[in-house]
């Protein structure tokens, strides 16, 4: 068994949040090491998992500040408007018109968002490839493919054990390896949460008519149905259904799936055609009881896994990466021990309230909108219509969705560390 202490921070998990943190720490003068069970070259391959992410404009600023703009900009579809509608069974776009809707328009907040759109839609494969290339170009060490199997936490160092028998030591280890985080478990941090008995059905479609950068979110009794604009006049569908219905959709023959899709989609964007496979992802809420422990910090889904109803899961992780990077870089410049409890508590305090309130809000949204009770439908419809008529409230929600509310880390303001 060999042991090394060549890093300031060991990051378990080279996904989008972990890789972003590694780049930010490197820019700030620290030495991160990434450990991931997936071959790192696979991040650069044009693999297609069907998923795309809505990136808040503040989170996208972080990537630009880290030099990722040239890699991401050609593939990023600006979201100029978001139209939220309380849909009716059987279809999102069928049936009579409803007075209950919300329209968010980026032009309304252009004076405060420096002309940014409400956000960007970026396919995850593009994001992973751009981050992986930037990691390689920066010379950041990546140990892959190998799993983290355990960790121990001493008074001055954390020691991580890998599946091949190697151990790594550093003042701090970051668990960014997803909901089943080994680091979180080794640190003795529990989780709370529950399954929604819903599954996300994800597919990419090509549209006959231009989407004009408008994202549509329909709230249906089975769950939300989102049409998210992509480049090249395509759209990413996130179709939430009961687990049984979702499994049936995934197993359906292409012509059967197409028929169900057209029934849900309606005709307002013309003919729609599925491109690529259909994927399903079970949905649940999981929140770590603490974000830090001795010599440990949690990031991304290891800290918080939320329902994708508003596309905020990845944005929470990216905001956490910016906050953690700033906390550690500033502490290192002051000569502090970056893995000490006093330093890590700054990160936890910075992110705790925002994360818990947003997670609770998403959970309440799921319960409010994934049902067909007539009284509940009326109450939520009236609420949507009221917000739509109150300009300040509408603009607040747009800033919140853009990730530009609250005490922002420097990277989310587009500033260097």
């Amino acid at each position: 068994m060999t042991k090394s202490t060549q890093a300031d921070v060991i990051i378990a998990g080279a996904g989008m949040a972990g890789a972003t943190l590694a780049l930010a720490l490197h820019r700030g003068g620290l030495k991160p090491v990434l450990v991931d069970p997936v071959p790192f070259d696979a991040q650069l391959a044009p693999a297609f998992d069907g998923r795309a992410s809505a990136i808040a404009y503040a989170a996208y600023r972080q990537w630009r500040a880290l030099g990722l703009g040239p890699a991401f900009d050609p593939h990023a579809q600006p979201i100029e408007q978001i139209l939220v509608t309380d849909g009716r069974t059987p279809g999102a776009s069928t049936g009579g018109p409803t007075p209950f809707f919300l329209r968010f328009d980026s032009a309304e907040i252009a004076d405060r968002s420096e002309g940014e759109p409400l956000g960007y839609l970026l396919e995850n494969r593009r994001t992973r490839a751009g981050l992986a290339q930037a990691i390689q170009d920066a010379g950041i060490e990546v140990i892959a493919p190998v799993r983290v199997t355990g960790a121990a936490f001493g008074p001055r160092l954390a020691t991580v054990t890998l599946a091949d028998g190697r151990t790594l030591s550093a003042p701090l280890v970051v668990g960014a390896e997803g909901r089943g985080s080994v680091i979180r478990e080794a640190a003795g941090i529990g989780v709370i949460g529950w399954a929604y008995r819903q599954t996300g059905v994800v597919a990419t479609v090509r549209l006959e008519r231009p989407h004009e950068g408008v994202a549509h979110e329909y709230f249906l009794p089975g769950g939300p149905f989102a049409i998210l604009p992509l480049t090249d006049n395509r759209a990413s569908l996130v179709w939430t259904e009961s687990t049984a219905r979702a499994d049936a959709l995934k197993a359906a023959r292409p012509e059967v799936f197409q028929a169900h899709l057209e029934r849900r989609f309606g005709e307002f964007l013309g003919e729609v055609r599925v491109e690529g496979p259909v994927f399903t992802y079970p949905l649940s809420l999981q929140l770590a009881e603490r974000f830090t422990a001795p010599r440990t910090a949690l990031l991304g889904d290891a800290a918080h896994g939320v329902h994708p109803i508003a596309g905020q899961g990845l944005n929470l992780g990216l905001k956490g990466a910016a906050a953690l990077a700033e906390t550690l870089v500033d502490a290192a410049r002051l000569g502090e021990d970056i893995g000490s409890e006093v330093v890590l508590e700054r990160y936890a305090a910075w992110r705790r309230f925002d994360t818990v309130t947003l997670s609770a809000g998403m959970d309440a949204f799921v319960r409010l909108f994934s049902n067909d009770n007539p009284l509940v439908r009326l109450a939520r419809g009236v609420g949507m219509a009221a917000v739509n008529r109150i300009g300040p409230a509408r603009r607040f929600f747009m800033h919140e969705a853009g990730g530009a509310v609250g005490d922002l880390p420097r990277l989310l303001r587009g500033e260097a560390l």
Side-chain angles (χ1 to χ4, degrees):
M1 182 179 292
T2 59
K3 186 172 182 175
S4 58
T5 56
Q6 74 274 38
D8 294 312
V9 182
I10 300 165
I11 304 171
M16 288 185 267
T20 299
L21 174 65
L23 284 171
L25 293 175
H26 176 78
R27 284 290 187 101
L30 292 174
K31 185 174 182 181
V33 169
L34 282 162
V35 182
D36 199 85
V38 176
F40 201 64
D41 287 348
Q43 305 283 346
L44 293 169
F48 189 79
D49 74 352
R51 286 182 292 185
S53 296
I55 309 300
Y57 68 79
Y60 201 80
R61 283 178 189 165
Q62 172 176 216
W63 282 341
R64 282 184 173 148
L66 294 174
L68 290 159
F72 288 169
D73 288 348
H75 308 293
Q77 169 63 50
I79 304 171
E80 301 296 351
Q81 294 184 30
I82 302 174
L83 183 62
V84 183
T85 309
D86 197 2
R88 287 183 168 82
T89 305
S93 307
T94 57
T98 169
F100 302 143
F101 67 91
L102 259 172
R103 182 184 293 276
F104 297 130
D105 193 324
S106 61
E108 276 197 73
I109 58 170
D111 57 331
R112 294 177 57 188
S113 65
E114 300 176 5
E116 295 273 14
L118 297 171
Y120 298 86
L121 250 295
L122 196 57
E123 290 164 280
N124 289 5
R125 61 187 175 125
R126 303 290 189 184
T127 308
R128 287 196 305 268
L131 285 165
Q133 189 63 60
I135 292 286
Q136 290 187 352
D137 292 346
I140 296 170
E141 183 177 1
V142 180
I143 302 174
V146 64
R147 289 185 303 107
V148 171
T149 57
F153 309 97
R156 298 190 62 81
L157 292 173
T159 300
V160 171
T161 304
L162 307 183
D164 60 10
R166 284 180 289 173
T167 62
L168 306 171
S169 293
L172 175 66
V173 60
V174 176
E177 73 277 54
R179 294 185 182 223
S181 171
V182 172
I183 299 300
R184 185 187 63 224
E185 184 176 345
I189 300 175
V191 296
I192 57 173
W194 40 83
Y196 287 115
R197 291 180 294 181
Q198 292 179 326
T199 295
V201 181
V202 178
T204 298
V205 297
R206 183 165 297 280
L207 308 173
E208 181 183 7
R209 297 176 189 155
H211 56 57
E212 298 180 338
V214 180
H216 298 265
E217 180 113 29
Y218 297 95
F219 290 110
L220 304 173
F225 178 77
I227 304 168
L228 308 174
L230 294 171
T231 54
D232 195 25
N233 207 47
R234 296 168 302 140
S236 174
L237 304 185
V238 183
W239 182 351
T240 306
E241 283 285 5
S242 67
T243 298
R245 286 179 61 86
D247 290 343
L249 283 168
K250 180 173 173 56
R253 299 190 310 276
E255 59 270 23
V256 174
F257 183 87
Q258 181 73 27
H260 281 284
L261 173 62
E262 290 172 358
R263 190 163 175 256
R264 272 283 181 262
F265 211 105
E267 300 177 349
F268 74 109
L269 288 172
E271 184 181 6
V272 293
R273 284 292 168 194
V274 176
E275 288 194 348
V278 175
F279 300 86
T280 56
Y281 302 94
L283 305 179
S284 63
L285 172 72
Q286 181 178 287
L287 192 63
E289 293 176 345
R290 293 173 288 138
F291 292 172
T292 62
R295 302 280 160 201
T296 308
L298 301 181
L299 180 66
D301 281 359
H304 43 70
V306 299
H307 194 288
I309 193 168
Q312 291 300 309
L314 177 57
N315 290 303
L316 271 178
L318 295 175
K319 189 178 283 190
L324 182 55
E326 184 170 325
T327 300
L328 299 180
V329 168
D330 286 355
R333 287 170 179 167
L334 293 172
E336 294 180 281
D337 176 356
I338 62 172
S340 66
E341 183 178 348
V342 66
V343 170
L344 295 179
E345 177 53 29
R346 293 173 201 154
Y347 162 66
W350 199 350
R351 297 302 307 135
R352 187 182 296 121
F353 179 78
D354 184 34
T355 301
V356 171
T357 53
L358 192 143
S359 300
M362 292 304 97
D363 184 67
F365 255 75
V366 172
R367 298 178 188 283
L368 177 63
F369 284 96
S370 294
N371 67 73
D372 204 25
N373 182 292
L375 291 178
V376 173
R377 290 183 66 88
L378 178 63
R380 73 195 184 203
V382 169
M384 288 168 59
V387 171
N388 197 57
R389 293 175 64 89
I390 301 171
R394 196 170 57 246
R395 287 187 285 274
F396 170 81
F397 280 113
M398 281 189 275
H399 281 293
E400 181 69 43
V405 174
D407 183 12
L408 291 184
R410 292 195 293 273
L411 285 169
L412 293 184
R413 298 197 298 264
E415 302 169 6
L417 287 177

